[in-house]
Structure formats: structure tokens, C-alpha cells
Amino acid sequence: MKRARSERKITSFFKAKVIQKSNDGEHDSNEPEKHPGTSTSTAVGPYIEADVAVKEHEDEELSSTPGTLTLPAAPVDVASFIGNKVATDAEIMAIIYQKAPSAELLPLCDEGGHRRRFQPIWCSTYPWLKYSQLNKGGYCIACVVFGGDTGGLGDQRLGILVLKPMCKYKKATEVLSNHNARGYHAAAMSKMEGFVYTVRNPTRAVDTMLHSKRKEQVETNRRLLVPVIETILFCGRNMLPLRGHRDDGPLDLSVPSKTGEGIFRALLRYRAQGGDSDLTHLLISSVSRTGISTLISKTIQNELIDITGRLVQEEILAGVSGVYAVLMDETTDVSGKEQATIIIRHVKEDVKEDFLAFVHAHDLTGEGLAQLLIHAVEGLGLEMLKCRGLGFDGASAMMGKFRGCAAIIMQQYPLAKPIHCFSHRLNLVLTKACDVKEVKLALQTLNEVYNFIHSSNMRTLRFTKLVKLSSAKREKLVPLCPTRWVERHDAVLVFIEFLPLIAIFLEDEMKLDANAGLLLAAIRDPRFLVGLVVAESVLAHTLQPSRILQKKEGDLVCAYALIREIGTLFAKFRADAEVYFHAVFVKAEDLLVEVGSAHDGIPIPRVCARQTQRANVPAASAEEYYRRSVYIPFVDHVVAELKSRFDDDTVPVALQLKELLRGSKANVDAVLKATKLYESDVESLLLVQTETHRWTCSAPAFESVKKAKEYAEGPYVFEHREAPYHPTDPASLKCRSRTIVLSPETPEDIIEEHHRSGSPQRPRTTRRP
């Protein structure tokens, strides 16, 4: 017995020595000698082997898993998971694949006079069993990490192998076998196996599978939505309405198309029948299964239209850099709502004019419209501080001097100069001028003739056939537009061209309709012909400005200059009315003959002492009478209206700046005066003055700002002129000039030398090849 005790005492020398580290860095004298290649970890011996085991198993078990699982650098103890269910996947995997410690490194425990220790072979029989160096006992890793604190009959609080270590080993085999048979243990094992499988196969994880399934569903939905979007864009590009009388619910391809289905659903049906598999799958699924979104409802259509509008706005706004101008007009739509139209004008290599948005206008006062415009522009991501122009009509709510929209905006943003729409101004000029009675009656008669011919399909066909037999350049009459005077120009010019044919046509139609005789008598009336020809003589000169003002890229400065030139021309017509009206009167007499009038020349209307319904002017001849009663009042109205409506201060400033594009030397003082208005937009007024002097001394004449910009950015061959030069003035071609070749590398002294020396030659401007 004593010997046995003595033997037991001898085995105590085989206890695992703990490697300790002193404060001064020296190790315990009992520390075993380290051999090359052994671990230098400061942990207990069993953890050294466990750590090495995990490192070895990493290549064996975890290397096949997609992705990278970074194992913890420090060893993991199973007891650290008790009461702490938050752990990383790497920590759990490290403890699951931890190898059992060596038997000789495990401590002995006294049990009733017997010394026993944890047996590593138990870990081979029960892989879930792990030894804890911290608590000196065994634990079930599955129940500790994946199980609960209660289990068994009545959900009793668990003890050995779960919350407490197994540190008594007399009946260890029986305890382990009973624990392995428990239901809560089986459930925990199932969870642990699923966890290991998930770590080894990340693509099979529940969250990953849900994410992949959702991603797949999103991609499928987007693919199914493509034909719907393309159909909406097709309708938008071709200005086709989407809605029908009844267009709700799923679209059943097996049922024939219904009346009032709408263009959108009809196009979807056509696409599906044409072999669009994605669209066919979408439509069939929405019909066969309830609760499936059709993606073609009016709500989806409106959302897609709004998204498309925002994308278009973003593309337009992306090209707006620097300053810009805003145009706004207000009108009532078919539903009775007041809609404000927002349009932006900016420069991107050339003048661009783009529609931005419709905004519902609740408040139509000047203050309300001003706030609406400011909020709309800022809501689109633009800065009102960069706005340099406002384009409105002449309504008092817009252009009122004190409480108008423009005046209120100018108080906050002084550089946002308001300009009354030029096209609208020109329309008002012509409308006011056409109040002259003979001209007004002539236009009314013209409109009645047009309505008579085109109110019947048979009359239209007969008139078209008559036109084709003639040598006329046009094919049909043009109606009088009540708002756009650019259309009225064409209407008057075409009507005069067709006038002999119209007379023949009305004479033939008298057999079928008595109204044709009344209209024929009206167009043979000398007063009608004089009024029509007088209107033509004016509208022929205003046609070109009207067309320029209708273009998106129209140059406002060029239009303004052209209108002022027209005003000067009409003033000349007024001063020499006898000379210019004579040609008009002769044309009216020729038309009188062509329409087959019974009058032998244009007579003087009856004149009496008192008349209120027509002009009562003394005249010795018919030409003098119509000149004084029709031509002179009409021209006077045009001159007065042009002078009063085109007196804007902002546009002359732009005209002064455009002097830089002309061939002659610009007035530097006028340019600086114009530049001072936008002093905040330039770096220095002195720099502008210097560059203006240099530019006007050497640059040739340009047709547009774009040409001038190309010239300034690239090397050009141009002439230095000692006398003013204009391309339309032949005398200026005789001025002395010398060719200078400029490039970005040309020194200033060489340029000056070229200016001082050279030979006379013809002025020319060419790009260097």
C-alpha cells in the first residue's frame, strides 16, 4: 500500500509544467528546453497542441470553403463560450476542430483515494467533447455553443458538460454515454453540423441563399420590366397617348383585343405576339396566378414616366455649366389646372434651349409666380445666383414694374435681367398694326375663303386637283393661326399666289353653293385687294425675324438687330410713301385683272361729308386715297409699335458686346460699359480692356460666337489691317494688310515684328492645315 502511494508520488513529477514569464523577461528554471521548430507560445501545453491542430486542420478541412476564414491568433477555450453566445465563426471552428491534449500533460484529480485524469481517447469516441484548461474539465461543445441553459424533462437547468465541467472521471464513460443520448444534445449537434456545413459551403448559407434568391428575383423583375419601359418610351417619342377607355387589370393574350384598350396595351400585345419571351412570361404569369404584379398598371406607368422625366432632367442639367437664362409661361391645361412651363437656355458650344418641367401654379400673383419659379429652379439643383436672364410674356403679373414676378426676382437677384418674349412682342406689333380696317377685313375674308374650301372634303379634292393642273409651287392653302403670326405670314403669301386659282374655283362652285358667289365678290372687291397687298408688303419683311425667333438656337441679339433694321426700313417706307406704295398699288391693280373683276381699275370709294365706318380722306386719285387711308396708317402703326416694344436696355448691352465679332474696330468704351453690368462674372475690368484692345487690333470679322471661339482656341492665319475692313465693302479690300501666323508658341516680340514689317496683300483668314 505504501509502495503504491510511493508510486503515485513518483507520477506527480510528470505533471505539465506551466510556462511562466517573469517581469524581467526571464523564464522559470523548470521551463523545458526549446527545440528548433517548436512553438514559442506562452500558453499551456495542451493549447499548444490544440493550436497546432487547428493550423493543420485548416489546410485539411477549411481550405475547400469558398472565401477566406481567418482563424484567431490566440488559442480558444471552450469555457469562454459559457454564457456568451456571441462568437465569431473562426472562433467556433477553431474549438470544434481542436485536438485532444496529450494525457501526460493533463493534471491528476483525487477521487476517493484514487488519482484520475481526463482521457484523450474519450474525445475520439465523442467528438463533441472538449477539454477546458481554464476550468480543468470536459464540456460538450455542441451544447455549450449551440444549446440552451435548460433541457431534459421539465426543462431543468443543465449542469455537467454544459454549464459545469466534467471533472470527476470515475463514471465518466456512463456520464458521456447518457449525455450523448439526450434530446437537447441531439438538437445542439444538429445545429453544430449545420453550422460546420455552412462554413464549409458559404453559398449554401441561409442568409446567402436568401440574398442570392432576392438578387435573382430583382434581376428577373428588371428584365421583365424592360419591354414595358421600351413601350412607354416608344409612345413618348412618337407623341402617342398611353391610356385607353379601360386599361386596368392583367393583359390576357388568349382573349382578343378589346375596343378602347389603349395604345400602350395594344403595343404590349403586339410585342408578345411577335416573340418577346420575357413580356409573354410576365403577362401569362399575371393572368394565371393571383397576387402577382402585372407591372403594366397605370400606377407603374406613371412611376416609370416620372423616372424617365427625372433622367432626362439630369441629362439636361448635366450640360448646364456656368450662367443660364430661364423662360417661364403659364397656361391652362384641359383639366382646368394652371400649368407653368419652365425652360432653360444655356450655352454648350452653341445656344441650347431645353424644356425642364411643368409646375402646377396655385398662386397666379406676381409674388406667387416668383416664388414658384425660384423653388422650381432650385429644386432642379440650379443656383439662382447664376441666372442671368428671365424670359416672360408681357402680362402685368409677370412684367409689372412693382409687384410683377420679374420685379420681385430682381430684388433678390439683380443680375437676372427680365426680357419680354421677342416673338410675343412682334406678334403684338403686327396685331396692333392689322387693326387698320381694310387690312383687318382682308384677313377676315381670307380666313372665310379657307374655311369654305376646307369645310368640305369634296371641295378640298376639287381645289387640290385644280392646283395640280397649274404651275403653282405650293399644293394647298395655309390657315390663319390665331396666335402664331409666323403662320399668318405664310397664309397671306400663299393666298396671294393662289388668288387667280381661287377666283376660278369659286366661279365653278357658284353652281353648287351660293356662298361661293359671295366670297367671289368679296375677293374681287378693290378694297380687299389693296388691304391684302398692303399686308403682304409688311409681312414679307417680318417673316424672317419671326422664323428666327421660333428657333431654339436662335440668337436674340441677331433677331433684335434685324428687327431694328426693319424698323429703320419701315421709317424709310413712311418717309417715301408715294414711291413705295406705287409698287403696291400696281400689284393690286394686276390682281384685280387676274381675278376677273368687272371694275376697270381701282376706283375711289364714295366719299361724303361725314363718315364713321371708313376712312374719309380727300384724294385726287384712288392711289392717293388708299395711300393716305390704308398704307400710311398701317406703316405708322408698325413703326410706332416697333419703337415702343423693342426699347429694352439689356439687349443693346449685348449688341455692344457683339461688336467684338465685327470686322471694324470696336468701341472699347462701349464694350467696357456693357461688361461693367456683369462685373462679378469677369476676373478684372482692366483685363477685359486689355484683351479687347488686342482683339480689335488683330481679329477678323466672324459670323457667330462659335467661329470666334474656334479662332481664339486654335492657331490661325489672319491679317493685321491698318484700315477698317468689312467683308461686304469692296473699297476696304484695298487697305494694306500683312499676314501674321499666330500659334500658342509665338512670342510677343515676333508678333510685333510681323506687325511692323510685311508686304501688301489681299486680306484673308484661313486656318493653318
Side-chain angles (χ1 to χ4, degrees), residues 724-736:
Y725 161 73
H726 195 275
T728 60
D729 185 8
S732 65
L733 297 178
K734 300 179 180 179
C735 66
R736 294 190 55 186

Side-chain angles (χ1 to χ4, degrees), residues 45-92:
Y47 281 93
I48 298 175
E49 294 190 7
D51 190 35
V52 174
V54 172
K55 299 290 185 182
E56 294 174 353
H57 194 72
E58 181 183 0
D59 297 334
E60 187 177 317
E61 297 287 347
L62 301 179
S63 61
S64 62
T65 62
T68 303
L69 183 65
T70 304
L71 296 176
V76 183
D77 193 287
V78 65
S80 62
F81 294 99
I82 299 175
N84 180 21
K85 301 300 182 181
V86 181
T88 63
D89 295 350
E91 292 174 343
I92 297 175

